[in-house]
Amino acid sequence: MNTKKILLGAFVVLIGLGLSSFTDKDDDRNFQVAKNLDIFNAIFKELDLFYVDTINPEKMIQNGVNGMLALTDPYTEYYPEEEVSSLKEMITGKYGGIGAVIRYYEKKDRIAVIEPVEGMPAAESGVKAGDVILSIGGKEMTRDGMKPQDFLEKVSNALRGEPGTSFILKVLRPLKNDSTVMEFKLTRKNIRNNPVPYYGMVQDSVGYLALSSFTDNCAKDVKKAFIELKDKGAKALIFDLRDNGGGSLQEAVDIINLFVPKGKEIVVTKGKLRQAAGSFKTTNEPIDTEIPLAVLVNGITASASEILSGSLQDLDRAVIIGTRTYGKGLVQTTRQLPYNGTLKVTTSKYYIPSGRCIQAIDYAKKNADGSVARIPDSLTNVFHTAAGREVRDGGGIRPDIEVKGDKFPNILFYLVNEDLIFDYATQYCLDHPVLASIDSLQITDADYADFKKLVKAADFTYDRQSEQLLKTLKEVAEFEGYMEGAKEEFKALEQKLNHNLDRDLDYFAKPIKEQIAEEIATRYFYQRGAAIQRLKDDADLKKAIEVLASPEEYRKILSGPDMNVKL
């Protein structure tokens, strides 16, 4: 018998079995998809026909869609036709409106303007932070039982519209001891959120540039600002990506291209489908490949911001300063759906120059209760920068220099949330119609005393975490039988943790004053003023200036391991 024929026959049979296995798996999956779609469709029809009350088909199907998407990740979202404009705004940073930030103002049960945007219709017409919106185009803006968030959306939609259209905005403006109704004729225009809210020289030859988002064409804004800083004498640059949640991957690559040579591979994407795989390289001649760079990051620095900071770290092109970043290594694309809807869906993971993916959470491995956890450091892998420095995947970008900032105190959260800092800033601006410069802004002891009076007059109270935890501990001690022997200790601890508003306002005076000053700076000098005010006492900035001022330390941080053999 011919052995070759026997082996060949067996090989063909094995291939046939393998193909049959794959075909069976595909057929079974297709059957499961079709089966469950039929079940979903049938259940809805039965409910619509037989349920005792009339159901809302749009709401019910939407809840079904939301439940389905909840099994994926937070970035995979469905946008029905009426919400597609918000997705486009997120991507482009553009919308038709008046250029003003608004929020629900509980004291008046209305929507208030909290920040007109510099140079936009609201600011140009005289609308100010603190103005309470009464009507838009003759239509009263009242809550009428709506949830605050829905009310906010209602007012926002009324303010937006086609560029060139006009309307009358009626507001209630606070005065020193009263208020007055004012009207403004506003003409909508194309509004573009400025991705570079501030740039300037921070010390001698050190330039500073803040980037708030990666919207369309933001790389051009960064390039323009960078060239201007160089013209002003910048010999080093601090790039601030703190609180930047990301955006366009391509814009991140284009910004990196300002500092690294043409032809460098920056990002590789990998997904289930071939279309999700890609390579992003620098395609232009850079502006400056030698200027020392420091990049500021924090826990909200995410996505495209992590591509920028992580790639510059992998290429040993910048010193990263701050706290560990968020850890979003996923890429989304948009898919068009019937009836003009859009699905934003995660299609791939991205990998930066060292080969690492910095995704911190594996959404495919959810707990029984639906929760997810970050990848522990013990399960991350070591990669190497171009110079051989160790970096790790999973868990975001770890800074080269970690700077632990001050924690946001609990009392400050409540002061902001209850609009007390907002109200004080409104009062301050009424008492100080003109502020000569941002440098002259200082919250004095007398100013802070006035603020404390306002807080006390509002009967301000807040939940203290220590009191909540002590209450829980007492309940546990009682349950486990330890309370009898620990009564005196608990009593002493209760006395030490006694709620004392005066003490808390004094103890946390520094961060509260900083928040007040930033709010006031925004009133006079818009986003630019707020940015300058924040930088007055900024630990990350100080460390960046220190590193950039020492070429030896800068080179040491970015150098690889010493490969010289000592004999």
Side-chain angles (χ1 to χ4, degrees):
M1 185 177 289
N2 191 321
T3 306
K4 287 185 178 180
K5 286 185 178 180
I6 293 173
L7 291 173
L8 181 60
F11 183 62
V12 170
V13 170
L14 287 172
I15 290 178
L17 288 172
L19 290 174
S20 174
S21 176
F22 283 124
T23 303
D24 289 345
K25 287 180 180 178
D26 289 344
D27 287 345
D28 182 61
R29 177 175 171 76
N30 290 337
F31 170 73
Q32 291 297 327
V33 170
K35 168 189 169 182
N36 285 285
L37 286 174
D38 282 344
I39 291 172
F40 184 87
N41 188 44
I43 290 173
F44 174 77
K45 286 183 176 179
E46 295 298 316
L47 285 172
D48 193 36
L49 186 62
F50 291 109
Y51 185 65
V52 63
D53 295 321
T54 301
I55 64 173
N56 182 325
E58 186 173 0
K59 187 175 182 179
M60 181 165 282
I61 297 297
Q62 180 69 58
N63 284 341
V65 170
N66 291 340
M68 180 167 53
L69 296 181
L71 297 176
T72 58
D73 61 49
Y75 316 110
T76 297
E77 300 175 284
Y78 166 59
Y79 291 82
E81 181 178 10
E82 61 272 17
E83 295 179 17
V84 168
S85 60
S86 64
L87 175 61
K88 289 181 179 177
E89 180 189 336
M90 182 173 64
I91 294 170
T92 64
K94 297 178 182 177
Y95 64 95
I98 63 170
V101 182
I102 59 174
R103 78 157 174 249
Y104 177 65
Y105 187 53
E106 188 175 5
K107 289 183 179 66
K108 298 289 185 182
D109 198 23
R110 295 269 190 171
I111 301 300
V113 176
I114 62 169
E115 183 188 341
V117 179
E118 187 174 12
M120 293 297 109
E124 294 292 301
S125 299
V127 176
K128 293 184 178 181
D131 287 347
V132 177
I133 296 174
L134 300 178
S135 68
I136 299 172
K139 186 176 180 179
E140 284 290 316
M141 291 291 118
T142 52
R143 189 153 73 98
D144 300 327
M146 301 171 72
K147 294 179 180 178
Q149 186 59 40
D150 294 335
F151 182 31
L152 181 65
E153 186 176 347
K154 169 188 170 182
V155 175
S156 176
N157 290 336
L159 290 172
R160 298 186 181 198
E162 286 297 314
T165 56
S166 300
F167 65 94
I168 300 297
L169 176 68
K170 184 187 288 186
V171 303
L172 183 70
R173 173 162 295 176
L175 299 178
K176 279 193 176 183
N177 299 305
D178 198 2
S179 58
T180 185
V181 174
M182 302 184 71
E183 292 186 354
F184 302 92
K185 183 177 180 180
L186 300 176
T187 301
R188 299 179 180 94
K189 66 182 290 188
N190 279 317
I191 307 296
R192 179 175 181 256
N193 293 323
N194 185 4
V196 183
Y198 175 69
Y199 62 94
M201 303 297 291
V202 288
Q203 183 175 327
D204 298 330
S205 58
V206 179
Y208 169 90
L209 190 156
L211 182 68
S212 61
S213 61
F214 288 81
T215 51
D216 286 353
N217 296 313
C218 70
K220 293 181 180 178
D221 295 286
V222 172
K223 180 179 179 180
K224 177 177 177 291
F226 180 40
I227 291 173
E228 284 190 26
L229 289 172
K230 284 175 66 69
D231 289 342
K232 290 180 179 178
K235 303 298 182 185
L237 178 67
I238 298 170
F239 208 118
D240 195 343
L241 294 178
R242 291 173 298 181
D243 299 332
N244 184 326
S248 168
L249 185 157
Q250 184 59 59
E251 293 295 330
V253 174
D254 290 344
I255 293 172
I256 294 166
N257 197 170
L258 300 175
F259 309 106
V260 304
K262 179 180 179 180
K264 283 277 188 182
E265 185 173 68
I266 302 300
V267 179
V268 171
T269 60
K270 299 176 184 178
K272 184 168 65 176
L273 300 178
R274 183 181 299 176
Q275 300 96 303
S279 172
F280 294 79
K281 297 182 178 181
T282 53
T283 57
N284 302 310
E285 292 300 327
I287 300 297
D288 192 331
T289 61
E290 300 295 330
I291 189 170
L293 298 175
V295 179
L296 309 184
V297 298
N298 64 9
I300 305 178
T301 301
S303 192
S305 291
E306 293 174 296
I307 290 175
L308 198 159
S309 55
S311 295
L312 292 177
Q313 185 181 56
D314 284 358
L315 297 170
D316 304 297
R317 185 63 189 87
V319 174
I320 312 302
I321 297 172
T323 55
R324 188 191 294 198
T325 64
Y326 183 80
K328 180 177 181 287
L330 305 175
V331 180
Q332 289 73 45
T333 56
T334 56
R335 304 288 299 172
Q336 297 306 305
L337 297 175
Y339 301 99
N340 300 315
T342 299
L343 179 68
K344 179 167 69 72
V345 56
T346 299
T347 54
S348 58
K349 294 180 179 179
Y350 68 77
Y351 301 80
I352 49 180
S354 64
R356 58 179 168 151
C357 175
I358 51 85
Q359 176 63 22
I361 298 174
D362 185 354
Y363 291 102
K365 297 178 180 178
K366 295 191 176 184
N367 300 321
D369 62 357
S371 63
V372 290
R374 292 176 68 91
I375 298 170
D377 288 348
S378 59
L379 296 182
T380 59
N381 302 295
V382 174
F383 291 77
H384 295 90
T385 70
R389 296 185 297 143
E390 284 192 0
V391 288
R392 288 186 171 271
D393 65 357
I397 305 299
R398 296 163 176 80
D400 301 309
I401 299 175
E402 185 172 0
V403 179
K404 293 184 178 180
D406 296 332
K407 291 184 178 180
F408 197 86
N410 194 38
I411 187 174
L412 183 51
F413 170 81
Y414 284 95
L415 289 170
V416 171
N417 196 52
E418 295 189 20
D419 293 313
L420 290 170
I421 288 179
F422 179 77
D423 289 343
Y424 178 74
T426 300
Q427 176 183 303
Y428 183 95
C429 293
L430 291 171
D431 293 335
H432 304 80
V434 178
L435 189 65
S437 69
I438 190 68
D439 293 331
S440 66
L441 175 58
Q442 183 180 2
I443 305 302
T444 65
D445 289 342
D447 294 330
Y448 196 60
D450 289 340
F451 172 72
K452 290 196 287 186
K453 288 179 185 176
L454 182 148
V455 171
K456 291 176 183 177
D459 294 325
F460 171 71
T461 59
Y462 69 99
D463 293 330
R464 291 184 57 176
Q465 293 180 0
S466 55
E467 289 179 350
Q468 295 294 325
L469 291 172
L470 179 59
K471 181 182 177 182
T472 301
L473 181 60
K474 286 175 67 178
E475 291 173 351
V476 172
E478 186 76 42
F479 177 76
E480 294 184 347
Y482 293 108
M483 193 62 191
E484 190 64 32
K487 277 185 177 179
E488 292 303 317
E489 287 82 355
F490 272 113
K491 186 176 180 180
L493 191 55
E494 280 179 336
Q495 290 176 346
K496 289 186 177 181
L497 297 179
N498 185 39
H499 191 111
N500 187 321
L501 181 59
D502 280 314
R503 174 262 179 199
D504 291 348
L505 287 172
D506 289 338
Y507 186 83
F508 295 109
K510 182 177 182 293
I512 294 172
K513 282 184 177 182
E514 288 173 351
Q515 192 69 33
I516 292 171
E518 186 177 329
E519 178 68 34
I520 291 172
T522 306
R523 303 294 180 99
Y524 292 103
F525 304 104
Y526 306 98
Q527 287 186 2
R528 173 173 49 88
I532 295 172
Q533 183 62 35
R534 282 194 298 270
L535 296 178
K536 286 183 178 180
D537 186 20
D538 189 318
D540 291 351
L541 182 74
K542 289 176 181 177
K543 190 61 182 179
I545 292 173
E546 178 187 320
V547 171
L548 294 173
S550 173
E552 183 178 347
E553 183 183 359
Y554 179 81
R555 285 193 298 269
K556 182 179 179 182
I557 293 170
L558 298 179
S559 296
D562 187 357
M563 302 302 290
N564 295 326
V565 178
K566 295 181 180 179
L567 299 176

